[in-house]
Amino acid sequence: MSYPCISEQLDDVEGAREEGRRKIDWARQHMPILAALREEFEDLRPFEGQRIAMAMHVEAKTAALTETLAAGGADVAITGCNPLSTHDDVSAALDANENITSYAKRGVDDEAYYEAIEATIDLDPTITVDDGGDLVFRIHEEHPDLVDGIIGGCEETTTGVHRLRAMDRDGALDYPVFAVNDTPMKRLFDNVHGTGESALANIAMTTNLSYAGKTVVVAGFGDCGRGVAKKAAGQNAHVVVTEVDPRRALEAHMEGYEVLPMVEAAEKGDVFITVTGNRDVVSREHFERMQDGVLLANAGHFDVEVNLDDLSDLAADVREVRDGVMEYELDDGRRLNVLAEGRLVNLAGPLGLGHPVEVMDQSFGVQAVCVRELVAAHSGGLRDRLAETLRERLGRADRLEAVGEDTYGPGLHAVPDALDREVATVKLDAEGIDIDDLSDEQTEYMDDWRHGT
Amino acid sequence: MSYPCISEQLDDVEGAREEGRRKIDWARQHMPILAALREEFEDLRPFEGQRIAMAMHVEAKTAALTETLAAGGADVAITGCNPLSTHDDVSAALDANENITSYAKRGVDDEAYYEAIEATIDLDPTITVDDGGDLVFRIHEEHPDLVDGIIGGCEETTTGVHRLRAMDRDGALDYPVFAVNDTPMKRLFDNVHGTGESALANIAMTTNLSYAGKTVVVAGFGDCGRGVAKKAAGQNAHVVVTEVDPRRALEAHMEGYEVLPMVEAAEKGDVFITVTGNRDVVSREHFERMQDGVLLANAGHFDVEVNLDDLSDLAADVREVRDGVMEYELDDGRRLNVLAEGRLVNLAGPLGLGHPVEVMDQSFGVQAVCVRELVAAHSGGLRDRLAETLRERLGRADRLEAVGEDTYGPGLHAVPDALDREVATVKLDAEGIDIDDLSDEQTEYMDDWRHGT
Amino acid sequence: MSYPCISEQLDDVEGAREEGRRKIDWARQHMPILAALREEFEDLRPFEGQRIAMAMHVEAKTAALTETLAAGGADVAITGCNPLSTHDDVSAALDANENITSYAKRGVDDEAYYEAIEATIDLDPTITVDDGGDLVFRIHEEHPDLVDGIIGGCEETTTGVHRLRAMDRDGALDYPVFAVNDTPMKRLFDNVHGTGESALANIAMTTNLSYAGKTVVVAGFGDCGRGVAKKAAGQNAHVVVTEVDPRRALEAHMEGYEVLPMVEAAEKGDVFITVTGNRDVVSREHFERMQDGVLLANAGHFDVEVNLDDLSDLAADVREVRDGVMEYELDDGRRLNVLAEGRLVNLAGPLGLGHPVEVMDQSFGVQAVCVRELVAAHSGGLRDRLAETLRERLGRADRLEAVGEDTYGPGLHAVPDALDREVATVKLDAEGIDIDDLSDEQTEYMDDWRHGT
Amino acid sequence: MSYPCISEQLDDVEGAREEGRRKIDWARQHMPILAALREEFEDLRPFEGQRIAMAMHVEAKTAALTETLAAGGADVAITGCNPLSTHDDVSAALDANENITSYAKRGVDDEAYYEAIEATIDLDPTITVDDGGDLVFRIHEEHPDLVDGIIGGCEETTTGVHRLRAMDRDGALDYPVFAVNDTPMKRLFDNVHGTGESALANIAMTTNLSYAGKTVVVAGFGDCGRGVAKKAAGQNAHVVVTEVDPRRALEAHMEGYEVLPMVEAAEKGDVFITVTGNRDVVSREHFERMQDGVLLANAGHFDVEVNLDDLSDLAADVREVRDGVMEYELDDGRRLNVLAEGRLVNLAGPLGLGHPVEVMDQSFGVQAVCVRELVAAHSGGLRDRLAETLRERLGRADRLEAVGEDTYGPGLHAVPDALDREVATVKLDAEGIDIDDLSDEQTEYMDDWRHGT
C-alpha cells in the first residue's frame, strides 16, 4: 500500500487548503522572479513529460517554486526535508494541484519521514530537487536502476553540496546535479541581506529589546557576518567584530568596526551573534567574562557555535524567561540569555519564519532556471524555443548569452554563470529597473583591454 | 462591595503570578535606570506614607516602574488605561506585592474599566500617575474633595498632556502635574530609536519581507520620521520622505533622502509608513497610484493617518492574508496590504510588544524622579537627604544641579531640566560610561561666552 | 581725502576684475537661493534709495550676496571684516559694479583696516550688514548721529551676536539688528553639513591621509560635532565622542558611537577634532597619552580648543612637516601633528576655502530676506507688493505666512520664523522639489490637536 | 657619458633634499607596514648583493618603498614611470641615500625619459620593480642578455599586468614577475577606500561644493564604484548608480541605491563620477539632458570615460572657471563643468596627491614581501632565516603559512596568498589589533566540513 498523501492524512482538508493557499498567495505576491518564470513556463511548457521529485522545507516560499515547476508542465511529488519544518496547510494546498502530490507532514517519525521520501521516488522521477541531498542519496543507494531515467538534479544547501562533492570525488554521483547553493545570486543576497535582516529582527522581536547604543559582537566577518554587522550598525549599535582570518579582520577594521579577540569582546558585548560556520566560538572563557544580561544568538548554520555544554557546566540555574530565551544564571548571579537554544535564530526562534520572501525568490529563481537548463540540455529543441522566447520577452538579445553546455555529464556542476545572470535580469525587469547596454565600441574596448593589444 | 483586585478574579492565580513574574524580571533585567533608582529608593524610602494611584498599560515594563515606586515605601493601587493592553499575569504578579494592589484585567467592559479606576481612587491617593489623563480627569470631576490631599501627578503621553493643557488653560487643573511626555529624555530616544526600530522590526516579522532594495516611503520627518527613515536606510532601503513643512523637507533632502509629494511617492513606494500625527496622509488619490503588493503601516499615534474609509470604498474585496495583514484588492487587481488595521504597527500588530524595554526605562526613569520631586517639593527634608545621597552615589557633585522649585503650584509643569539630566546621568553610570567634567576655567570661559564681557 | 577703493589700489585692475568675476560666477552658479532672490529683487527693486554698508569676508560667496543686494537697487559700500580673508580680485570685481564700492584689500594694517570701515560709513548707510559687529559698534561709538538714519542691520556670526546681545542688555543698541546667526536655516545646515564636510575634506587633503579604519575622536556633540561624527563614520572611521553634557553624551552613545572621557580617548585616537566652543579641550594630560603620529585639528570657532601652550611646553622640537601641519616632537619621540595652528581647520588651512558654497547660499539667503524685511517694515507699500509677487511666483499662497512685525524697535531681534521658512521654500523650489500642502481638514485636525477640544 | 642623476641636475640640491626628506618622513610616519618590514629587513639584510631597478611615480610614498628595499641591503636605481608625476625634491632626497641612485626628473622630454630608464638598467639589475611595465619591456627588447641575471620582478598596475599577460601568453616573458596589482590587499583597500575617499575629497576641495543633498551619479559598481557610492552616501548625497552588468546593478539596488540607465541619470545628477574602466560612459546623449552647473569627474584609470570630443562639439564656449575646472557652455546656456580634464580626479586635479598614504602602505607592503620572496625562492637559506625571524617577531607561528613555491619559472605569477595574508597580519600588528586563533578542534572541524564527511 502506498504512503498516503497529505490530503489523506488531515481531518479538515478543505480548511487546511484554504489556510495554506492564503500563505502561498502571500509569498507569491512578493516573489517577482518566480512570477516571471511561471509566466514563461506557462507559455513554453518546457517540463511537459518531466516528473520531478522534491524534498524540501514544505512552507509557503518553497510551495511557490513547486507551483512554478508544475506550471511548466511537470508532474511533481514533494515531501519535507526535515520533519519539523513542514506546514501541513501549505502541504495540503499544494496537494490540491492536480499536477502535484505532497506527502509532507509535520512531526512525523523517522520511519514515516523516509517512507514519504520513497513515495516521491515512486514517481520514477526524471529530475530531483533537493535540500540536503536526501533524494540523490537514497536513489543512488536504494534505487540505482532509476538513475538512467534521471536527466539531472538541483541542490539548494551548503550541506547537500558538501555531501554531493564527496560523492563526486569518489566517482559515485551518477547523474548531473547543479550546486545551486554556490551561485552569486543566492550567496550575495541570501547571506548579506537575508541573514542580516532576519537575524536582527528575530532577536529584537523575541526579546523586545533595541539595538541603539548596544554593543553587538559579530563573530565572523564572512558574507553573513558582514550583513549582520552592517545592519546592526544601521540600527545604531556599536559593532565589534571577531575573526580568525587576518585579511577579513583588516577589512572589518577598515570598515570602521572595532576588531577584538573574543576574550576581550566578551567583556564589552551586550549581544553576541555567531556567524562563523565553526564550533565553540563562544565558550567557557568567554562566558566567564560576560556582563549580566547579555544575549547569545547564533545565525550560523549549525547549533555548535555557542558552546552550550560549557554554559550548562557554569550555570547554577537554567530557566526559560521568555519564549525562545533560556536564561543561564551563573554562580555569581550573572545571567546569560541564550536565544533559540543556540540554533539558527532566524529560523528556530519562536517567531522563526526563515529568510525573507524576496531572498528565497532569488534562490528559487536559480532553481527554476536550473531545472529548465537540465531539460534544455537534454532536448535541443527546447533551447531554441527558449532562446527565441527570451529574446522576445527580454528585448535584450545582446545580454542573453549562450547558456551552458550541450550536455552535462554525471557529477556536481556549477550553475552556468549565464543562468545566474539571467535571474538577475529577470529580477531587474520585475522591479522595473532599466540598465545600460554596452555599445559595440565599448564591448570592443573592454575586450581589447582584457585580451591584449 | 469594593471592586475585586486581579488576584480575586483569576482561576490560577499562582500560575499567573509566576508567568507575570517571569515577564517582569525580563524587563527589569534590561532597565538599568529603574534598577539604580530602585536601589536609591530602597535606601532613602522617600515615599513612606505616600499613596500612589496609577492608570497605565499594565504590562511588564510598567510593572517595573510600579515596583520601583513601591520599593520607595509607597502604597500603590494600579489599573489599566486601556482594556486591551493589560497582561493579566503581570497584573497578578504586581498584586502579589504587599504594597501594591492591581485591579487591571484584560478585556473588561466599560463599566468594569471605570470601576477599576474608581478602585484606585479609593486609595485616597497623594500622587497620581497617568497615561492618558483618566485619573486626573475623574478625580477633578467626581472627587474634587480629594484634590486637597494630592501633592501632584505625572502624565506619560501626548494625549494626556494635551487634555491637561486644556484644563490648565481653563484654570481647571487643581494640583500640579508634570508633563513627562515632553522631556528630552523621553522624546529624543523614544521617538527616534524606539519608534524607528520597533516599527521596522514589527513590519518585517509580520510580513516575512525584507527592506534591502525596497523603496520605503516615510510620511513625516519629525523625530519619529527621522528615526524610521534612518533605520530603514540602515537596512538598505531606498527612503523617500514626504512632508508639509519646507524646512523639514529641506532637512530630509540634505540628509540624502528623496523628497516627493505623496502623490508621486505613491507610485514609487513598496512600503509606506505614516508618522505625521495628522489624518488622511495616505488617501484615495494615493491608493489609486500605488503598485500591486505594497504595505501600508502607521507608526503615528492615532489610526487616522491611512484613510481606511477611502480604501474600503475603492476595494472590490478585503481579506486577511496573514495575521495582522488585511489585503484590499482593487477593481484592477492591485492588492494593497494594510498592517495592524492602520493602528500603531509596533503596538497593535500581532506580535506587538510596544516600545523596546530600554526606551521605556528612560521614560519611566523620568516618571520615577518626577514622583520623587513632587514629594521632595512637599517636604524639604527629603530634598536634603536626597542631595546628599546623590552626591555620594554619583560622585559628581558638580553635575548635580539644584533641582526644581521649592513648591509647584496647581497646573501643568514642565519637568525641571535638572531631573531630566539626572536620568541621563544615571543611565550613563549604569552603562559604565564616564564623561568629562568642565574645569573651573572652562566653566568660566563658557559663562563669559554666553553672558558677555 | 577719502580712502581709496580697491580699483585705485591695484596695478592690474582689469586682470583682477576678470579673475574675481570668474570666482564670483562660480559661486553664483551654485547659489540657487540668491539667484532666485536676485530675480525677485531685480523685478521689485525693493532697495531703491537704500544705502547699505557691509563689513564681511570679501570673497566669492559674500560677493554673490553683495551683488544680490545691489540688484535690488541699493547702493552698497563694502569692506573686509578681517584683513587676511579678503580676495583682492573679488574685491575688484565687486568694485566694477556701478552700485558697489569696495574698499577691501588683503593684508592691510590696522589703521587702513579701520579707515576702510570708516569709508563704508561715509556712505551714510540706511542699513548695515556685519560679520562680527564692527560696523554696528563703530557707528554707535563714533557716529551716533547716523543712527537716526539707519533702519536696521543684520549680523552673521555667533561672535557678533554675542557682542550685540551685550549691547542690547545694556540698552546701548540703538537700532534694530537681526541675529541671522541663530536661524534654523543657518544653524542646521551650516553646522551639521558645512562644518562636517569641509573640516574632514580639508584634513584629508592637507595630510593625504584617509579615514577608513582610523579612530576619529570628536570632542563635543553639538550640531557641529554631530556633523563631523556622522560624516567621519560615513568615511568608515571608528568614531569616539567626548562630552561634558550627560544628555548629549547619551545621545552619542545611542547613535552607536563610543563615548569616553578625553583622557581615555587620547590613548585611542588617530585624529582629534575639537568642536566644543570651549577652551583647553585637548591639553597636557591628553598629549601625554597620545599615540605617535596623531592629527590634532580644530573645527570650533576660536583657536583655544587645542592648548598649544601646553603642547609647546612638552615639545622637544617643533617643525612644519607639510603645508599647514606643525609637528610637535615630544621628548620620548612621539610626534603630534597640529593642523592649521589650531585655528578653524576648514578656513585657516593651506587649502582653506571656508564653508561650501551651498551652505553659504542658505545663510546669505536669510541675510537677503532680512534686509528686505527691514525695508518692508519701514515702508508698508513694499510689503504688499512683495506679498503679491511671492504669491504669484511661489504659487503657494497658503504657505506664505504673514511676515514679521509692523516695525522693529531698537535692539537685537530674532529672525522671524516665516522669513527663515521662506528661504527653505525658495531652496526647495530652486532644487525642483515639490512637497505636500495641508488640506483644510488636515489643518483643522492639527489645530484641534494643538489647542484642545 | 652616463645619464646624470637628479643631484647633478638641480641647482639647489641641499634645499631640494631637505624638502624631499620632509615629504618622505611624513609618508613614513603613516606607513606602519613598511616600517615593520624595514625593521625586519634591517635585521635580516635579505637583499645583500641584490641590484634593484625601479620605474615608478617618484613621490613620497614610493620613496618609502625604495628606502625600505635599500634598508634590506639592496643597491637601487630608480626613475619615473611618467614624466609628470616626479617630485624633484623627493627624487633628490632618495639620491642622497648611498645605496640609491635616482634619475627621475619632472617634465623631461621623451628622449630623456627613456635615457633615464636606460640608466637604471645600467645597474645590471637582479630584480625589477615596475609601474606600467616599462622596465620589463625594455629589458626584453633591448637587453635580452640581462635576463639571465634577473631573478624576478614585480608589477604594480592593472595596465602593466595587462601588458605582461600578453607577453606571457606569447611565451615572451623570460623571467618571473609577480602581479602585485591583483592581490586582495591591494584591490580591496586601494579600490574601495582609496579611490572612494580621495576622489570625493578632491572634488569637494577643487570646487568648494558639498555633497549633502546632492545627487551623485556613480557610473560603474565595481570595487571602486562601491567605494565612491558608499562614501558619497556617507556624506549625505543621494546616490544613483549606472551599470551594464545585471548582477552588479541588482547589488546596487539591494544596497538601497537608485539604479538608472545613464540617459535617465543624466537628468537627475548634480555630480557624475565615472569608474567603469570603459570609454564614452558619459557622452553626447547624456550631455544633452544634464542640468546647468553639473560636475563631471572621472575616477577610472584612463581619461576616456567622459567623452570630451562630444562635449567640445556641443559647446559654444569653453573656459577655465577655477583651477582644475573647465566649464563647457552649451548653446542653450547650460554649463557643464569638467574636472581635471577628465583624467583621474584624485591624481590629476590641481590638489592631486593620489591615493592616501595608508592605502599605498598596503600596496607597497605587498611589493616589499614579493621582492623578498623572489630572493628567498632563489636562495633557500634566506627562507629559513626568514621563517624563524617571523615566527619570533609575530609570535604567531600557527598563522605563518608555508610560503610560495621553491622556485618561480619565467612568466606572470599571482602573488602567493600567504604573502598577501602576511601583510594583513603585519598591518594588524602595527595597529595593535589582536585577533583570535583557531583551536585544534576548530581547525579540525573546518577541515572536516570542507573535505569530507
Side-chain angles (χ1 to χ4, degrees), chain D residues 343-357:
Chain D
R343 293 156 65 207
L344 257 176
V345 75
N346 58 349
L347 199 62
L351 310 166
L353 306 162
H355 275 348
V357 176

Side-chain angles (χ1 to χ4, degrees), chain D residues 126-390:
Chain D
T126 57
I127 293 168
T128 59
V129 178
D130 254 324
D131 184 306
D134 274 349
L135 277 176
V136 171
F137 224 61
R138 198 156 187 95
I139 286 171
H140 279 75
E141 298 255 309
E142 309 284 339
H143 307 280
D145 51 305
L146 295 184
V147 165
D148 275 357
I150 295 178
I151 62 177
C154 295
E155 169 55 44
E156 173 77 9
T157 63
T158 308
T159 319
V161 167
H162 174 55
R163 292 172 73 183
L164 294 169
R165 190 164 288 128
M167 286 178 73
D168 195 15
R169 241 193 341 259
D170 297 346
L173 183 54
D174 294 333
Y175 61 81
V177 181
F178 281 129
V180 171
N181 178 71
D182 299 344
T183 57
M185 279 296 286
K186 174 174 196 299
R187 203 169 43 79
L188 288 175
F189 303 107
D190 186 326
N191 295 0
V192 175
H193 297 293
T195 300
E197 290 188 38
S198 61
L200 292 171
N202 270 280
I203 295 171
M205 294 299 292
T206 300
T207 61
N208 196 20
L209 298 176
S210 77
Y211 292 105
K214 287 278 192 315
T215 295
V216 173
V217 176
V218 181
F221 202 65
D223 285 333
C224 289
R226 275 156 227 251
V228 174
K230 180 163 66 170
K231 309 254 173 179
Q235 300 279 60
N236 300 106
H238 177 76
V239 174
V240 172
V241 171
T242 74
E243 249 300 339
V244 295
D245 179 280
R247 217 152 40 194
R248 286 185 170 177
L250 188 53
E251 281 187 272
H253 170 68
M254 297 289 274
E255 288 290 322
Y257 302 123
E258 196 169 0
V259 178
L260 293 174
M262 182 57 86
V263 78
E264 290 179 34
E267 294 176 5
K268 299 189 71 166
D270 297 304
V271 183
F272 296 79
I273 306 177
T274 54
V275 273
T276 66
N278 208 327
R279 58 180 292 180
D280 307 332
V281 178
V282 188
S283 54
R284 178 182 293 266
E285 63 176 336
H286 311 122
F287 300 136
E288 287 169 345
R289 285 164 173 80
M290 288 179 180
Q291 303 177 67
D292 179 40
V294 299
L295 307 181
L296 302 169
N298 171 44
H301 199 75
F302 294 113
D303 62 353
V304 298
E305 307 215 4
V306 177
N307 189 327
L308 292 183
D309 291 341
D310 278 7
L311 189 51
S312 295
D313 284 355
L314 288 172
D317 190 27
V318 182
R319 59 187 194 123
E320 188 176 38
V321 285
R322 271 177 93 83
D323 286 356
V325 184
M326 295 299 292
E327 180 191 281
Y328 289 73
E329 185 171 347
L330 309 190
D331 283 334
D332 55 11
R334 282 179 301 128
R335 293 158 296 182
L336 313 188
N337 299 291
V338 176
L339 275 65
E341 301 168 40
R343 293 156 65 207
L344 257 176
V345 75
N346 58 349
L347 199 62
L351 310 166
L353 306 162
H355 275 348
V357 176
E358 306 90 335
V359 161
M360 297 316 298
D361 188 35
Q362 301 205 174
S363 295
F364 288 156
V366 178
Q367 287 275 14
V369 297
C370 280
V371 170
R372 194 193 65 194
E373 173 66 7
L374 287 169
V375 179
H378 206 252
S379 66
L382 173 60
R383 194 184 291 290
D384 293 343
R385 271 197 296 147
L386 180 66
E388 192 180 346
T389 305
L390 286 184

Side-chain angles (χ1 to χ4, degrees), chain A residues 22 26 29-30 61 197 202 205 207-208 210-212 214 231 235-236 293 320 327 337 353 357-358, chain B residues 22 26 29-30 61 197 202 205 207-208 210-212 214 231 235-236 293 320 327 337 357-358:
Chain A
R22 201 176 70 128
W26 177 258
Q29 192 177 136
H30 299 281
K61 290 162 279 190
E197 290 188 38
N202 270 279
M205 295 299 292
T207 62
N208 195 23
S210 76
Y211 292 104
K214 287 278 194 314
K231 310 253 173 180
Q235 300 279 61
N236 299 106
E320 188 176 39
E327 179 190 280
N337 300 291
L353 306 162
V357 175
E358 305 91 335
Chain B
R22 201 176 69 128
W26 176 258
Q29 192 176 136
H30 299 280
K61 290 162 280 190
E197 291 189 38
N202 269 279
M205 295 299 292
T207 61
N208 197 21
S210 76
Y211 292 105
K214 286 279 193 312
K231 311 254 174 178
Q235 300 280 59
N236 300 107
E320 188 177 39
E327 179 191 281
N337 300 290
V357 176
E358 304 91 335

Side-chain angles (χ1 to χ4, degrees), chain A residues 19 22-23 25-26 28-30 59 61 193 196-198 200-202 204-214 230-236 270 291-295 319-323 325 327 335-337 339 351-359 431, chain B residues 19 22-23 25-26 28-30 59 61 193 196-198 200-202 204-214 230-236 270 291-295 319-323 325 327 335-337 339 351-359 431:
Chain A
E19 180 65 16
R22 201 176 70 128
K23 290 184 179 177
D25 284 351
W26 177 258
R28 284 178 55 166
Q29 192 177 136
H30 299 281
E59 48 75 71
K61 290 162 279 190
H193 297 293
E197 290 188 38
S198 62
L200 291 172
N202 270 279
M205 295 299 292
T206 300
T207 62
N208 195 23
L209 298 176
S210 76
Y211 292 104
K214 287 278 194 314
K230 179 162 68 171
K231 310 253 173 180
Q235 300 279 61
N236 299 106
D270 297 305
Q291 302 177 70
D292 179 40
V294 299
L295 307 182
R319 60 189 193 119
E320 188 176 39
V321 285
R322 270 178 92 83
D323 286 357
V325 184
E327 179 190 280
R335 294 157 295 182
L336 313 188
N337 300 291
L339 274 65
L351 310 166
L353 306 162
H355 274 349
V357 175
E358 305 91 335
V359 161
E431 300 271 344
Chain B
E19 180 65 17
R22 201 176 69 128
K23 290 184 180 177
D25 283 351
W26 176 258
R28 285 178 54 166
Q29 192 176 136
H30 299 280
E59 46 74 72
K61 290 162 280 190
H193 297 293
E197 291 189 38
S198 62
L200 291 171
N202 269 279
M205 295 299 292
T206 301
T207 61
N208 197 21
L209 299 176
S210 76
Y211 292 105
K214 286 279 193 312
K230 178 162 68 169
K231 311 254 174 178
Q235 300 280 59
N236 300 107
D270 297 304
Q291 304 177 68
D292 179 39
V294 299
L295 307 182
R319 60 190 192 119
E320 188 177 39
V321 285
R322 269 178 94 81
D323 286 357
V325 185
E327 179 191 281
R335 293 158 296 184
L336 313 188
N337 300 290
L339 275 65
L351 310 165
L353 305 163
H355 275 349
V357 176
E358 304 91 335
V359 161
E431 299 272 344

